[in-house]
Amino acid sequence: MHTSSSDQLREASALLNAANRVVVFTGAGISADSGVPTFRDALTGLWARFDAERLATPQAFADDPALVWGWYEWRRALARRVAPSPGHVAVAALERRTPGTVVVTQNVDDLHEQAGSSTVIHLHGSLFAPRCSACAQPARTAETMPESDGERIPPPSCDACGSPVRPGVVWFGEALPSAALEAAVEAAANADVLLSVGTSGLVYPAAEVPQVTARMGGKVIQVNPAPTPLDPIATVSLRGTAAEVLPALIDAH
Ligand code: OAD
Ligand code: ZN
């Protein structure tokens, strides 16, 4: 049977209104509406323009720290220039309405916090939390940032031990921060509804989080303009951008 998209919006809205514990699971798509590029969109995604192997692995940083540090400083500069989108704002409004709301994000920007969400779990770290590559001591972020994406910038040295400072993000081949992953899995296991927004659902173990909710009997609502591997576990898939769909979903009664 064909279900119209306004019926789907109503169904998703009813599920959210009835939920006490909500997890909002987000990926690069929610920040795309703010002007931050995604990773895997065919023409505009970062992995279409840049080689992840040369920029987002521990080996890449060991081989060419200035290339990697410069690229993350460029991404930090970009993230600093943009503002939260209507999607981020709607997610913050959902937390005010349903205080048991937890945001679990794969994004390394701080746009959820800027929009006013207070419980945000960062599974893949943050552009704003550099640390020593040897002793893990947190480092300050620099005042000056690059204008362009190809600029090589040598990383600063750790105040404590002199080793190079590295971006505070998770690279391919690295483990996720264990406290964040545990908190995300626990929230997902206890969620009445998990709202997945703007993620391709391809990167593990993060992509496991919505599956935990589904396995434990919670409902999954998905917002994405394109189909994803999460479609089979979603009770409702709303096709559209986060900026279009979330304000309507969260304001709808
Ligand atoms: P991807 O780039 O893999 O996927 C972005 C998703 O957002 C796609 O499914 C798009 O269809 C969707 N999308 C695009 N524009 C959108 C919009 N305006 N509103 C809603 N959805 C939109 O990004 P992630 O799933 O976040 O990891 O990628 C997961 C991880 O892979 C990232 O955290 C990063 C990357 O490599 C690390 O760096 C460790
Ligand atoms: Zn150090």
Side-chain angles (χ1 to χ4, degrees):
M1 192 181 79
H2 178 75
T3 316
S4 77
S5 70
S6 68
D7 284 349
Q8 288 183 308
L9 188 67
R10 263 196 297 279
E11 184 185 356
S13 177
L15 288 171
L16 264 185
N17 283 333
N20 292 317
R21 284 167 302 189
V22 177
V23 168
V24 185
F25 177 67
T26 63
I30 194 168
S31 295
D33 295 317
S34 293
V36 179
T38 66
F39 296 94
R40 294 178 182 77
D41 281 280
L43 298 175
T44 55
L46 289 172
W47 298 151
R49 292 165 56 204
F50 299 100
D51 182 357
E53 288 295 317
R54 287 185 56 230
L55 293 166
T57 67
Q59 191 60 48
F61 188 66
D63 290 347
D64 196 343
L67 178 73
V68 172
W69 181 257
W71 190 67
Y72 279 95
E73 285 292 89
W74 166 68
R75 286 183 56 199
R76 185 168 68 91
L78 188 65
R80 278 268 297 268
R81 275 202 303 274
V82 302
S85 70
H88 295 105
V89 170
V91 169
L94 178 63
E95 183 188 322
R96 289 193 295 276
R97 188 178 89 186
T98 308
T101 299
V102 174
V103 176
V104 176
T105 189
Q106 298 163 85
N107 298 343
V108 293
D109 60 50
D110 62 353
L111 294 170
H112 282 299
E113 288 89 342
Q114 279 193 47
S117 287
S118 65
T119 308
V120 184
I121 297 171
H122 282 269
L123 290 179
H124 290 164
S126 163
L127 292 170
F128 302 97
R131 66 173 189 272
C132 176
S133 59
C135 75
Q137 167 158 294
R140 282 183 307 278
T141 51
E143 298 291 318
T144 53
M145 287 180 284
E147 298 282 317
S148 72
D149 58 32
E151 227 174 287
R152 300 166 60 92
I153 303 174
S157 300
C158 171
D159 285 344
C161 77
S163 300
V165 169
R166 59 160 285 173
V169 302
V170 176
W171 283 325
F172 292 106
E174 290 187 315
L176 272 56
S178 56
L181 184 58
E182 278 163 29
V185 168
E186 192 187 334
N190 292 321
D192 304 314
V193 170
L194 180 140
L195 176 60
S196 176
V197 183
T199 178
S200 60
L202 292 170
V203 174
Y204 281 81
E208 192 64 37
V209 170
Q211 295 173 15
V212 169
T213 301
R215 269 203 302 278
M216 298 300 285
K219 304 284 189 200
V220 174
I221 300 169
Q222 181 175 229
V223 178
N224 198 307
T228 80
L230 298 176
D231 288 15
I233 63 161
T235 304
V236 189
S237 275
L238 301 167
R239 292 266 179 271
T241 65
E244 288 162 359
V245 174
L246 290 180
L249 174 63
I250 286 163
D251 288 337
H253 289 289

